Amino acid sequence: SNLVIKLGGTDINYVATFKLFLQSKLSNPHFRPEIAAQCTIINFIVTPDGLEEQILALVVNVEQPDLERRKQDLVRQQNEFKVSLAHLEDDLLAQLSAADSETILDNLELIVGLERTKLTVSEIEQQVKLAVATEAEINASREAYRPVAQEGSMLFFVIIELCLIEHMYQYSLDAFVSFLLKAVN
């Protein structure tokens, strides 16, 4: 009635909290269907497009740090706008649900809250329009470095394939980024 796990020829008592993590150096491992159905397979391989965006940010950060800082500030600001809008919406819904339906038109606090929310949303919409225009300008400036990012991404994927020729040629993304930054500098 005891459950055991056979690991390396040794029987080990099963514990309900037991978890087994396996790691493979294979870039695209293949498992039998019965194993794949019982496992959660996580692939941490970077994609060419994702790496291209990362390299673009790195190169722009080296060549034009103010531009990349403005881009990051803009992304942060847009996220803050979304949070503010969600907060305003939640407050408005809470006020409306707490209001008495018979006296809702006479509720001065609710009407003032609605006007304040409307004004704030209008201001945020104007700032979002300005942010979209600024983002387009920043992205146009960043596109000058796109060929470098594309070549860097392609180069990384060529380099990681070298291990197929000789297993000694193993490169990590961190090592590649380090070499890339030295080359850019």
Side-chain angles (χ1 to χ4, degrees), residues 21-33:
F21 296 92
L22 299 175
Q23 179 180 347
S24 172
K25 289 186 178 186
L26 300 174
S27 59
N28 190 14
H30 177 73
F31 299 101
R32 294 191 316 257

Side-chain angles (χ1 to χ4, degrees), residues 33-115:
E34 58 273 10
I35 292 175
Q38 295 177 358
C39 295
T40 302
I41 300 172
I42 302 172
N43 187 350
F44 289 104
I45 289 285
V46 67
T47 63
D49 292 337
L51 182 59
E52 183 179 320
E53 288 301 318
Q54 288 179 24
I55 292 173
L56 180 62
L58 287 170
V59 171
V60 171
N61 196 32
V62 169
E63 294 292 321
Q64 293 186 5
D66 325 345
L67 188 65
E68 192 60 26
R69 194 174 318 108
R70 281 179 51 203
K71 171 78 172 173
Q72 291 171 358
D73 290 344
L74 195 61
V75 168
R76 191 176 312 108
Q77 183 183 36
Q78 288 178 334
N79 287 338
E80 288 171 1
F81 289 157
K82 289 176 185 176
V83 169
S84 296
L85 287 174
H87 184 66
L88 288 171
E89 182 181 320
D90 291 344
D91 288 347
L92 181 61
L93 290 174
Q95 288 176 353
L96 286 173
S97 66
D100 183 16
S101 61
E102 294 177 10
T103 62
I104 197 165
L105 295 177
D106 299 328
N107 189 337
L108 190 59
E109 183 181 321
L110 179 62
I111 293 171
V112 169
L114 285 170
E115 288 298 320

Side-chain angles (χ1 to χ4, degrees), residues 113-131:
L114 285 170
E115 288 298 320
R116 188 176 36 227
T117 300
K118 182 179 173 185
L119 182 64
T120 306
V121 166
S122 176
E123 289 173 2
I124 288 176
E125 285 176 349
Q126 289 174 356
Q127 291 175 353
V128 165
K129 286 179 185 175
L130 181 64

